[in-house]
Protein backbone atom coordinates (compact mmCIF):
# COMPACT_ATOMS: atom_id res chain seq x y z
CA UNK A 1 0.00 0.00 0.00
CA UNK A 2 1.24 3.47 -0.84
CA UNK A 3 0.10 6.84 0.45
CA UNK A 4 -1.58 8.82 -2.33
CA UNK A 5 1.22 11.41 -2.30
CA UNK A 6 3.86 8.72 -2.78
CA UNK A 7 1.87 7.20 -5.64
CA UNK A 8 1.72 10.66 -7.14
CA UNK A 9 5.47 11.11 -6.75
CA UNK A 10 6.32 7.79 -8.42
CA UNK A 11 3.91 8.00 -11.32
CA UNK A 12 4.26 11.61 -12.56
CA UNK A 13 7.13 12.24 -14.95
CA UNK A 14 6.35 15.58 -16.59
CA UNK A 15 8.86 18.47 -16.54
CA UNK A 16 9.71 19.67 -13.04
CA UNK A 17 8.36 16.61 -11.16
CA UNK A 18 10.77 14.61 -8.98
CA UNK A 19 10.37 11.42 -11.08
CA UNK A 20 10.48 13.52 -14.24
CA UNK A 21 13.84 14.90 -13.12
CA UNK A 22 14.98 11.36 -12.35
CA UNK A 23 14.07 10.06 -15.83
CA UNK A 24 15.89 13.01 -17.37
CA UNK A 25 19.18 11.70 -15.91
CA UNK A 26 19.16 8.67 -18.24
CA UNK A 27 19.42 7.83 -21.90
CA UNK A 28 15.97 6.46 -22.69
CA UNK A 29 14.53 4.83 -25.83
CA UNK A 30 12.85 7.54 -27.94
CA UNK A 31 12.10 5.68 -31.17
CA UNK A 32 12.94 2.52 -33.02
CA UNK A 33 15.64 3.07 -35.64
CA UNK A 34 13.15 1.75 -38.23
CA UNK A 35 11.03 4.89 -37.71
CA UNK A 36 13.72 7.10 -39.28
CA UNK A 37 15.33 4.60 -41.62
CA UNK A 38 17.20 6.93 -43.98
CA UNK A 39 18.41 10.50 -44.53
CA UNK A 40 15.44 12.72 -45.25
CA UNK A 41 12.89 10.34 -43.66
CA UNK A 42 9.61 12.14 -42.89
CA UNK A 43 9.35 13.65 -39.39
CA UNK A 44 7.76 11.57 -36.61
CA UNK A 45 5.62 12.93 -33.76
CA UNK A 46 6.64 11.53 -30.41
CA UNK A 47 5.61 12.34 -26.87
CA UNK A 48 8.05 11.50 -24.08
CA UNK A 49 7.84 12.36 -20.38
CA UNK A 50 4.79 14.53 -21.24
CA UNK A 51 6.76 16.63 -23.76
CA UNK A 52 5.53 16.76 -27.35
CA UNK A 53 8.44 16.41 -29.74
CA UNK A 54 9.32 15.90 -33.40
CA UNK A 55 12.00 13.48 -34.48
CA UNK A 56 13.55 13.86 -37.91
CA UNK A 57 16.58 13.03 -39.96
CA UNK A 58 18.10 15.61 -42.25
CA UNK A 59 19.49 14.92 -45.71
CA UNK A 60 22.95 14.39 -44.24
CA UNK A 61 21.50 11.59 -42.07
CA UNK A 62 21.82 13.48 -38.75
CA UNK A 63 19.07 12.84 -36.19
CA UNK A 64 17.15 15.60 -34.42
CA UNK A 65 14.60 15.57 -31.61
CA UNK A 66 13.05 18.99 -31.10
CA UNK A 67 9.95 20.75 -29.78
CA UNK A 68 6.93 19.76 -31.88
CA UNK A 69 5.73 23.35 -32.30
CA UNK A 70 7.14 26.10 -34.46
CA UNK A 71 8.49 29.14 -32.60
CA UNK A 72 6.65 31.48 -34.98
CA UNK A 73 2.98 30.77 -34.27
CA UNK A 74 2.91 27.29 -32.86
CA UNK A 75 2.13 25.09 -35.85
CA UNK A 76 3.06 21.42 -35.54
CA UNK A 77 6.28 20.74 -37.36
CA UNK A 78 4.93 17.31 -38.23
CA UNK A 79 3.53 18.95 -41.37
CA UNK A 80 6.99 20.20 -42.16
CA UNK A 81 9.40 19.02 -44.80
CA UNK A 82 12.95 17.84 -44.41
CA UNK A 83 15.11 20.02 -46.59
CA UNK A 84 18.90 19.88 -46.70
CA UNK A 85 20.26 20.35 -43.19
CA UNK A 86 16.93 20.90 -41.44
CA UNK A 87 13.16 20.77 -41.15
CA UNK A 88 11.02 23.51 -42.69
CA UNK A 89 7.68 24.55 -41.13
CA UNK A 90 4.73 24.11 -43.48
CA UNK A 91 3.08 27.43 -42.53
CA UNK A 92 5.56 30.22 -43.34
CA UNK A 93 8.70 28.29 -44.05
CA UNK A 94 10.84 28.85 -40.96
CA UNK A 95 13.57 26.24 -40.89
CA UNK A 96 15.20 24.41 -37.95
CA UNK A 97 18.38 22.36 -37.65
CA UNK A 98 18.75 19.10 -35.73
CA UNK A 99 19.56 20.90 -32.47
CA UNK A 100 16.35 22.98 -32.68
CA UNK A 101 18.30 26.07 -33.77
CA UNK A 102 16.30 28.19 -36.21
CA UNK A 103 18.40 28.57 -39.35
CA UNK A 104 16.09 30.51 -41.65
CA UNK A 105 13.22 33.01 -41.34
CA UNK A 106 12.45 33.58 -45.02
CA UNK A 107 10.22 36.64 -44.55
CA UNK A 108 12.92 38.65 -42.73
CA UNK A 109 16.04 40.21 -44.20
CA UNK A 110 19.00 38.03 -43.38
CA UNK A 111 21.07 40.90 -41.94
CA UNK A 112 18.63 41.26 -39.03
CA UNK A 113 19.91 37.93 -37.77
CA UNK A 114 16.51 36.95 -36.36
CA UNK A 115 17.00 33.21 -36.98
CA UNK A 116 20.13 33.14 -34.84
CA UNK A 117 18.17 34.35 -31.81
CA UNK A 118 15.51 31.62 -32.03
CA UNK A 119 16.02 28.11 -30.73
CA UNK A 120 13.50 25.40 -29.98
CA UNK A 121 14.09 22.86 -27.23
CA UNK A 122 16.28 20.14 -28.71
CA UNK A 123 17.57 16.83 -27.38
CA UNK A 124 20.21 14.48 -28.76
CA UNK A 125 19.01 11.44 -30.70
CA UNK A 126 21.57 8.68 -31.07
CA UNK A 127 21.35 5.22 -32.62
CA UNK A 128 22.68 2.36 -30.50
CA UNK A 129 21.49 -1.04 -31.76
CA UNK A 130 17.93 -0.95 -33.11
CA UNK A 131 16.93 1.96 -30.88
CA UNK A 132 17.26 5.75 -31.09
CA UNK A 133 18.07 7.03 -27.61
CA UNK A 134 17.66 10.44 -26.09
CA UNK A 135 18.77 12.24 -22.97
CA UNK A 136 16.30 14.96 -21.97
CA UNK A 137 18.23 16.36 -19.02
CA UNK A 138 20.99 18.90 -18.47
CA UNK A 139 23.58 18.56 -21.27
CA UNK A 140 26.34 19.27 -18.73
CA UNK A 141 25.33 16.07 -16.89
CA UNK A 142 24.96 13.91 -19.99
CA UNK A 143 26.15 10.37 -19.20
CA UNK A 144 28.07 8.11 -21.61
CA UNK A 145 25.92 6.32 -24.20
CA UNK A 146 24.01 3.24 -23.08
CA UNK A 147 25.78 -0.13 -23.14
CA UNK A 148 22.92 -2.60 -22.67
CA UNK A 149 23.88 -6.00 -24.04
CA UNK A 150 20.79 -6.30 -26.28
CA UNK A 151 21.79 -3.08 -28.05
CA UNK A 152 25.48 -3.84 -28.41
CA UNK A 153 25.56 -7.46 -29.68
CA UNK A 154 25.88 -7.88 -33.48
CA UNK A 155 22.64 -6.93 -35.31
CA UNK A 156 21.78 -10.50 -36.32
CA UNK A 157 21.61 -11.50 -32.63
CA UNK A 158 18.96 -9.00 -31.57
CA UNK A 159 15.41 -7.84 -32.31
CA UNK A 160 13.40 -5.01 -30.73
CA UNK A 161 9.75 -4.03 -31.04
CA UNK A 162 7.68 -1.37 -29.34
CA UNK A 163 4.04 -0.94 -28.50
CA UNK A 164 1.79 1.71 -27.09
CA UNK A 165 0.47 0.76 -23.67
CA UNK A 166 -2.49 2.67 -22.28
CA UNK A 167 -1.49 3.00 -18.63
CA UNK A 168 1.10 4.64 -16.42
CA UNK A 169 4.67 3.40 -16.80
CA UNK A 170 4.97 2.16 -13.20
CA UNK A 171 2.21 -0.43 -13.31
CA UNK A 172 3.71 -1.75 -16.55
CA UNK A 173 7.17 -1.92 -14.92
CA UNK A 174 5.70 -3.67 -11.89
CA UNK A 175 4.35 -6.38 -14.20
CA UNK A 176 7.92 -6.90 -15.41
CA UNK A 177 9.22 -7.27 -11.87
CA UNK A 178 6.51 -9.60 -10.62
CA UNK A 179 7.32 -13.05 -11.97
CA UNK A 180 4.80 -14.82 -9.72
CA UNK A 181 2.06 -14.23 -12.29
CA UNK A 182 3.83 -16.39 -14.88
CA UNK A 183 2.57 -19.71 -13.44
CA UNK A 184 -0.98 -18.37 -13.67
CA UNK A 185 -1.50 -15.82 -16.39
CA UNK A 186 1.03 -17.28 -18.84
CA UNK A 187 0.52 -20.98 -18.05
CA UNK A 188 -0.92 -21.57 -21.54
CA UNK A 189 1.98 -19.78 -23.27
CA UNK A 190 4.62 -21.83 -21.47
CA UNK A 191 3.28 -24.87 -23.29
CA UNK A 192 2.62 -23.39 -26.72
CA UNK A 193 4.54 -20.17 -27.45
CA UNK A 194 7.39 -20.90 -29.89
CA UNK A 195 9.69 -18.51 -28.00
CA UNK A 196 8.92 -20.05 -24.58
CA UNK A 197 8.03 -23.70 -24.96
CA UNK A 198 10.19 -26.78 -24.55
CA UNK A 199 12.53 -25.58 -21.79
CA UNK A 200 13.11 -27.88 -18.83
CA UNK A 201 12.58 -24.90 -16.53
CA UNK A 202 8.95 -24.59 -17.65
CA UNK A 203 8.14 -27.79 -15.76
CA UNK A 204 9.20 -26.22 -12.48
CA UNK A 205 7.08 -23.17 -13.29
CA UNK A 206 4.05 -25.31 -13.97
CA UNK A 207 4.44 -27.63 -11.00
CA UNK A 208 5.07 -25.06 -8.26
CA UNK A 209 2.56 -22.24 -8.16
CA UNK A 210 3.88 -20.79 -4.93
CA UNK A 211 7.23 -19.17 -5.61
CA UNK A 212 9.17 -17.72 -2.71
CA UNK A 213 10.77 -14.33 -3.40
CA UNK A 214 14.12 -13.00 -2.31
CA UNK A 215 15.46 -9.62 -3.33
CA UNK A 216 19.12 -8.56 -3.47
CA UNK A 217 20.53 -5.10 -4.05
CA UNK A 218 22.49 -4.45 -7.24
CA UNK A 219 24.61 -1.44 -8.16
CA UNK A 220 21.97 -0.27 -10.63
CA UNK A 221 18.81 -1.52 -8.92
CA UNK A 222 17.81 -4.99 -7.82
CA UNK A 223 18.06 -8.69 -8.54
CA UNK A 224 14.74 -10.33 -7.80
CA UNK A 225 14.94 -14.07 -7.24
CA UNK A 226 11.85 -16.28 -7.47
CA UNK A 227 12.43 -19.73 -6.00
CA UNK A 228 10.42 -22.81 -6.93
CA UNK A 229 10.88 -26.45 -5.99
CA UNK A 230 13.08 -28.56 -8.25
CA UNK A 231 14.53 -32.08 -7.90
CA UNK A 232 15.35 -33.44 -4.45
CA UNK A 233 17.50 -31.00 -2.47
CA UNK A 234 17.35 -28.28 -5.15
CA UNK A 235 15.51 -25.11 -6.04
CA UNK A 236 14.79 -23.60 -9.43
CA UNK A 237 15.60 -19.88 -9.33
CA UNK A 238 14.38 -17.34 -11.84
CA UNK A 239 16.32 -14.12 -11.42
CA UNK A 240 15.05 -10.84 -12.85
CA UNK A 241 17.31 -7.80 -12.91
CA UNK A 242 15.72 -4.40 -12.58
CA UNK A 243 17.94 -1.46 -13.45
CA UNK A 244 16.72 1.97 -12.51
CA UNK A 245 14.41 3.39 -13.43
CA UNK A 246 12.64 1.34 -16.12
CA UNK A 247 14.61 -1.66 -17.39
CA UNK A 248 13.74 -5.28 -16.64
CA UNK A 249 14.82 -8.61 -18.09
CA UNK A 250 12.87 -11.84 -18.09
CA UNK A 251 14.79 -14.91 -16.92
CA UNK A 252 15.66 -17.13 -19.90
CA UNK A 253 14.18 -20.47 -20.90
CA UNK A 254 16.39 -23.16 -22.44
CA UNK A 255 18.32 -21.83 -25.43
CA UNK A 256 15.56 -19.40 -26.43
CA UNK A 257 16.65 -15.79 -26.92
CA UNK A 258 16.53 -13.72 -23.73
CA UNK A 259 13.99 -10.96 -23.51
CA UNK A 260 13.28 -7.84 -21.59
CA UNK A 261 11.65 -4.46 -21.58
CA UNK A 262 11.98 -0.75 -21.18
CA UNK A 263 8.86 1.04 -19.96
CA UNK A 264 9.07 4.62 -21.19
CA UNK A 265 6.52 7.22 -20.04
CA UNK A 266 4.68 8.93 -22.89
CA UNK A 267 2.71 10.94 -20.36
CA UNK A 268 1.27 9.99 -16.99
CA UNK A 269 -1.43 7.74 -18.47
CA UNK A 270 0.43 6.08 -21.35
CA UNK A 271 3.78 4.44 -21.92
CA UNK A 272 5.85 2.80 -24.63
CA UNK A 273 6.80 -0.78 -23.94
CA UNK A 274 10.04 -1.52 -25.77
CA UNK A 275 10.45 -5.30 -25.94
CA UNK A 276 13.72 -6.86 -26.98
CA UNK A 277 14.92 -10.40 -27.63
CA UNK A 278 18.56 -11.26 -28.11
CA UNK A 279 20.95 -14.14 -27.84
CA UNK A 280 24.36 -13.38 -26.33
CA UNK A 281 26.33 -15.81 -28.51
CA UNK A 282 24.43 -16.72 -31.66
CA UNK A 283 22.36 -15.21 -34.47
CA UNK A 284 18.61 -15.42 -34.09
CA UNK A 285 17.19 -18.07 -36.42
CA UNK A 286 14.80 -17.05 -39.18
CA UNK A 287 12.03 -18.99 -37.39
CA UNK A 288 12.67 -17.01 -34.20
CA UNK A 289 12.62 -13.66 -36.00
CA UNK A 290 9.44 -14.66 -37.82
CA UNK A 291 7.80 -15.61 -34.51
CA UNK A 292 8.78 -12.21 -33.07
CA UNK A 293 7.36 -10.42 -36.13
CA UNK A 294 4.19 -12.50 -35.79
CA UNK A 295 3.71 -11.26 -32.22
CA UNK A 296 4.83 -14.27 -30.17
CA UNK A 297 6.87 -14.13 -26.96
CA UNK A 298 7.04 -10.61 -25.55
CA UNK A 299 6.01 -9.08 -28.90
CA UNK A 300 2.52 -8.47 -30.31
CA UNK A 301 0.51 -7.91 -33.46
CA UNK A 302 -0.41 -4.37 -34.50
CA UNK A 303 -3.22 -2.31 -35.89
CA UNK A 304 -1.70 -1.99 -39.39
CA UNK A 305 0.49 1.08 -39.84
CA UNK A 306 0.65 1.86 -36.11
CA UNK A 307 2.40 0.79 -32.91
CA UNK A 308 -0.97 0.16 -31.25
CA UNK A 309 -1.56 -3.50 -30.44
CA UNK A 310 -4.17 -5.26 -32.58
CA UNK A 311 -5.67 -6.53 -29.35
CA UNK A 312 -6.53 -3.38 -27.43
CA UNK A 313 -9.03 -2.03 -24.96
CA UNK A 314 -11.44 -0.93 -27.69
CA UNK A 315 -12.00 -4.57 -28.71
CA UNK A 316 -11.60 -6.10 -25.23
CA UNK A 317 -8.28 -7.54 -26.37
CA UNK A 318 -10.23 -10.06 -28.50
CA UNK A 319 -10.92 -12.01 -25.33
CA UNK A 320 -12.04 -15.57 -26.06
CA UNK A 321 -14.14 -17.13 -23.28
CA UNK A 322 -14.13 -20.52 -24.97
CA UNK A 323 -10.32 -20.65 -25.04
CA UNK A 324 -10.37 -19.66 -21.37
CA UNK A 325 -12.87 -22.42 -20.57
CA UNK A 326 -10.81 -24.98 -22.46
CA UNK A 327 -7.73 -23.89 -20.49
CA UNK A 328 -5.74 -22.81 -23.57
CA UNK A 329 -5.34 -19.36 -22.09
CA UNK A 330 -5.78 -18.48 -18.45
CA UNK A 331 -7.37 -15.07 -19.04
CA UNK A 332 -8.96 -15.69 -22.44
CA UNK A 333 -6.50 -13.29 -24.04
CA UNK A 334 -4.12 -14.66 -26.66
CA UNK A 335 -0.37 -13.93 -26.52
CA UNK A 336 1.96 -13.35 -23.59
CA UNK A 337 2.42 -9.60 -24.22
CA UNK A 338 -1.32 -8.98 -24.63
CA UNK A 339 -2.00 -11.02 -21.49
CA UNK A 340 0.24 -8.63 -19.59
CA UNK A 341 -0.88 -5.30 -21.01
CA UNK A 342 -4.59 -6.17 -20.97
CA UNK A 343 -4.50 -6.74 -17.22
CA UNK A 344 -2.20 -3.78 -16.54
CA UNK A 345 -4.49 -1.47 -18.51
CA UNK A 346 -7.53 -2.91 -16.73
CA UNK A 347 -6.17 -1.39 -13.48
CA UNK A 348 -6.98 2.07 -14.90
CA UNK A 349 -4.60 4.68 -16.27
CA UNK A 350 -2.93 5.20 -12.87
CA UNK A 351 -3.79 2.52 -10.34
CA UNK A 352 -4.68 3.74 -6.84
CA UNK A 353 -1.98 2.06 -4.79
CA UNK A 354 -3.54 3.16 -1.49
CA UNK A 355 -6.10 0.37 -1.99
CA UNK A 356 -3.82 -2.55 -2.80
CA UNK A 357 -3.02 -5.46 -0.46
CA UNK A 358 0.54 -6.53 -1.06
CA UNK A 359 1.76 -10.02 -0.15
CA UNK A 360 5.11 -11.77 0.05
CA UNK A 361 5.36 -12.30 -3.74
CA UNK A 362 5.33 -8.51 -4.14
CA UNK A 363 8.69 -8.11 -2.37
CA UNK A 364 10.45 -6.98 -5.55
CA UNK A 365 7.83 -4.34 -6.26
CA UNK A 366 8.04 -2.98 -2.72
CA UNK A 367 11.83 -2.68 -2.91
CA UNK A 368 11.76 -1.10 -6.37
CA UNK A 369 9.33 1.60 -5.26
CA UNK A 370 11.50 2.28 -2.23
CA UNK A 371 14.63 2.61 -4.36
CA UNK A 372 12.90 4.90 -6.87
CA UNK A 373 11.61 7.16 -4.14
CA UNK A 374 14.98 7.29 -2.44
CA UNK A 375 16.79 8.11 -5.69
CA UNK A 376 14.30 10.82 -6.69
CA UNK A 377 14.65 12.43 -3.27
CA UNK A 378 18.46 12.21 -3.23
CA UNK A 379 18.57 13.80 -6.67
CA UNK A 380 16.26 16.61 -5.68
CA UNK A 381 17.85 17.34 -2.31
CA UNK A 382 21.52 16.65 -2.94
CA UNK A 383 21.86 16.48 -6.71
CA UNK A 384 22.99 12.87 -6.34
CA UNK A 385 23.38 10.91 -9.60
CA UNK A 386 21.02 7.92 -9.41
CA UNK A 387 21.92 4.24 -9.90
CA UNK A 388 21.71 2.96 -13.49
CA UNK A 389 23.21 6.06 -15.14
CA UNK A 390 26.68 4.49 -15.13
CA UNK A 391 27.00 2.10 -18.13
CA UNK A 392 28.68 -0.43 -15.81
CA UNK A 393 25.32 -0.79 -14.02
CA UNK A 394 23.72 -1.73 -17.33
CA UNK A 395 25.86 -4.83 -17.87
CA UNK A 396 23.44 -7.25 -16.25
CA UNK A 397 21.69 -10.41 -17.36
CA UNK A 398 18.74 -12.41 -16.15
CA UNK A 399 19.31 -16.06 -15.25
CA UNK A 400 17.41 -19.27 -14.61
CA UNK A 401 19.35 -21.80 -12.53
CA UNK A 402 18.90 -24.88 -10.38
CA UNK A 403 20.84 -24.58 -7.12
CA UNK A 404 21.30 -26.74 -4.03
CA UNK A 405 18.80 -25.66 -1.40
CA UNK A 406 21.39 -24.33 1.03
CA UNK A 407 22.92 -21.87 -1.48
CA UNK A 408 21.98 -18.18 -1.44
CA UNK A 409 20.87 -17.32 -4.97
CA UNK A 410 22.82 -14.11 -5.11
CA UNK A 411 26.14 -15.64 -4.00
CA UNK A 412 25.78 -18.60 -6.33
CA UNK A 413 24.87 -16.58 -9.40
CA UNK A 414 26.56 -13.20 -9.15
CA UNK A 415 28.85 -13.96 -12.09
CA UNK A 416 25.97 -15.36 -14.18
CA UNK A 417 24.07 -12.11 -13.69
CA UNK A 418 26.87 -10.09 -15.28
CA UNK A 419 27.39 -9.62 -19.01
CA UNK A 420 30.23 -11.85 -20.17
CA UNK A 421 30.86 -11.29 -23.87
CA UNK A 422 30.97 -14.56 -25.80
CA UNK A 423 29.51 -16.56 -22.91
CA UNK A 424 26.04 -18.05 -23.15
CA UNK A 425 23.25 -17.02 -20.78
CA UNK A 426 22.67 -19.13 -17.65
CA UNK A 427 19.47 -20.98 -18.41
CA UNK A 428 17.60 -24.27 -17.92
S1 LIG B 1 4.07 28.88 -37.78
FE1 LIG B 1 5.87 27.98 -38.49
S2 LIG B 1 6.61 29.36 -39.91
FE2 LIG B 1 4.82 30.35 -39.19
FE1 LIG C 1 3.84 -11.35 -17.86
Amino acid sequence: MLKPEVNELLTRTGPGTPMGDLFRQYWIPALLAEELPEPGSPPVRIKLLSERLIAFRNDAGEFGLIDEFCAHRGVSLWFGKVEGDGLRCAYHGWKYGVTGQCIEVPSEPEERGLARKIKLVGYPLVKVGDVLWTHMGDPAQRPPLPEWEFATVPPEQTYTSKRWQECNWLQALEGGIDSSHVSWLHSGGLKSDPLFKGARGNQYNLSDYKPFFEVADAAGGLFIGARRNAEEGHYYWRITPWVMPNFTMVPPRGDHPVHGHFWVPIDDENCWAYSFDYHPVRALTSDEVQAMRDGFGVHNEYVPGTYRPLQNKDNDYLMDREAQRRGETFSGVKGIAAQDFSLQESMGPIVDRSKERLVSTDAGIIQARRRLRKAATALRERGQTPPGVDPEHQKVRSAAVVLPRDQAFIDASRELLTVRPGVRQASV
Side-chain angles (χ1 to χ4, degrees):
M1 192 187 111
L2 279 189
K3 290 196 188 123
E5 59 270 26
V6 179
N7 200 29
E8 184 85 7
L9 178 121
L10 294 178
T11 52
R12 309 278 174 188
T13 58
T17 60
M19 275 308 290
D21 288 349
L22 187 83
F23 265 94
R24 285 165 175 80
Q25 302 293 303
Y26 299 88
W27 285 97
I28 56 171
L31 296 105
L32 288 176
E34 68 181 26
E35 295 180 77
L36 290 173
E38 56 209 16
S41 287
V44 178
R45 278 173 293 208
I46 189 88
K47 195 181 192 189
L48 292 171
L49 310 180
S50 296
E51 294 184 44
R52 288 181 62 172
L53 304 165
I54 283 285
F56 71 101
R57 205 167 168 190
N58 68 17
D59 288 336
E62 297 170 311
F63 294 101
L65 183 64
I66 65 174
D67 191 342
E68 180 181 342
F69 302 102
C70 181
H72 178 210
R73 278 174 38 219
V75 156
S76 172
L77 293 167
W78 181 74
F79 293 93
K81 187 170 167 241
V82 176
E83 210 185 280
D85 55 351
L87 178 65
R88 196 182 287 285
C89 178
Y91 214 3
H92 315 93
W94 292 24
K95 189 176 166 189
Y96 301 91
V98 289
T99 62
Q101 177 65 50
C102 182
I103 47 184
E104 216 185 300
V105 179
S107 62
E108 301 300 299
E110 193 147 354
E111 55 276 17
R112 273 194 54 204
L114 182 62
R116 248 181 294 124
K117 294 178 206 143
I118 296 167
K119 187 179 178 305
L120 294 174
V121 166
Y123 302 119
L125 193 60
V126 181
K127 182 177 179 310
V128 180
D130 295 330
V131 174
L132 300 178
W133 305 78
T134 191
H135 175 262
M136 293 168 65
D138 180 0
Q141 308 280 328
R142 191 157 293 157
L145 287 172
E147 294 187 29
W148 306 101
E149 189 175 32
F150 84 94
T152 51
V153 291
E156 64 278 11
Q157 291 173 218
T158 187
Y159 177 90
T160 306
S161 69
K162 78 170 195 181
R163 64 167 188 266
W164 172 28
Q165 183 160 336
E166 298 177 65
C167 71
N168 182 261
W169 78 279
L170 186 61
Q171 68 211 50
L173 168 81
E174 289 178 351
I177 289 178
D178 150 35
S179 82
S180 73
H181 74 271
V182 175
S183 304
W184 300 93
L185 179 62
H186 303 314
S187 49
L190 291 185
K191 295 174 214 148
S192 61
D193 190 290
L195 296 166
F196 276 60
K197 70 179 180 188
R200 181 160 67 93
N202 297 356
Q203 288 318 312
Y204 307 124
N205 263 103
L206 293 168
S207 56
D208 183 355
Y209 283 62
K210 291 187 188 161
F212 176 82
F213 276 73
E214 248 178 63
V215 184
D217 275 323
L222 299 169
F223 288 118
I224 299 132
R227 189 187 87 188
R228 289 176 172 85
N229 292 321
E231 288 79 11
E232 192 55 36
H234 290 76
Y235 288 128
Y236 169 62
W237 285 93
R238 294 183 59 74
I239 307 165
T240 301
W242 165 65
V243 181
M244 288 191 55
N246 61 342
F247 173 90
T248 57
M249 267 179 85
V250 182
R253 295 183 185 279
D255 194 46
H256 288 304
V258 197
H259 33 254
H261 302 277
F262 273 97
W263 318 94
V264 183
I266 296 175
D267 54 28
D268 295 340
E269 300 192 347
N270 295 275
C271 64
W272 291 115
Y274 280 81
S275 306
F276 60 81
D277 247 300
Y278 75 100
H279 199 291
V281 297
R282 67 161 170 84
L284 305 178
T285 67
S286 54
D287 284 351
E288 285 168 343
V289 173
Q290 195 54 48
M292 292 166 198
R293 290 205 180 109
D294 290 343
F296 288 101
V298 292
H299 310 281
N300 58 275
E301 296 174 274
Y302 295 97
V303 174
T306 75
Y307 288 107
R308 190 180 198 205
L310 185 63
Q311 299 158 267
N312 57 58
K313 68 177 183 187
D314 292 341
N315 55 28
D316 277 333
Y317 311 94
L318 306 176
M319 127 84 84
D320 180 347
R321 286 280 175 213
E322 280 309 309
Q324 186 179 36
R325 223 184 310 267
R326 287 194 301 270
E328 277 165 39
T329 54
F330 194 68
S331 71
V333 173
K334 190 187 95 179
I336 285 163
Q339 286 159 4
D340 283 324
F341 66 72
S342 57
L343 298 195
Q344 291 158 10
E345 291 178 2
S346 77
M347 299 155 88
I350 305 180
V351 67
D352 180 355
R353 292 182 174 77
S354 70
K355 291 191 179 140
E356 64 192 9
R357 304 276 186 86
L358 299 183
V359 293
S360 57
T361 54
D362 298 312
I365 290 174
I366 295 168
Q367 290 289 343
R369 292 175 185 174
R370 207 171 277 161
R371 293 285 299 268
L372 283 170
R373 191 177 163 196
K374 212 171 120 198
T377 310
L379 173 67
R380 177 138 297 204
E381 289 173 359
R382 299 188 293 282
Q384 195 175 305
T385 302
V389 168
D390 182 341
E392 286 308 310
H393 297 178
Q394 300 162 4
K395 295 178 184 169
V396 295
R397 282 182 182 173
S398 56
V401 287
V402 173
L403 298 174
R405 291 202 168 185
D406 58 359
Q407 260 182 28
F409 89 89
I410 194 66
D411 300 336
S413 39
R414 199 155 300 266
E415 204 195 347
L416 311 177
L417 296 167
T418 310
V419 169
R420 292 171 300 161
V423 179
R424 194 182 166 273
Q425 68 274 31
S427 179
V428 286

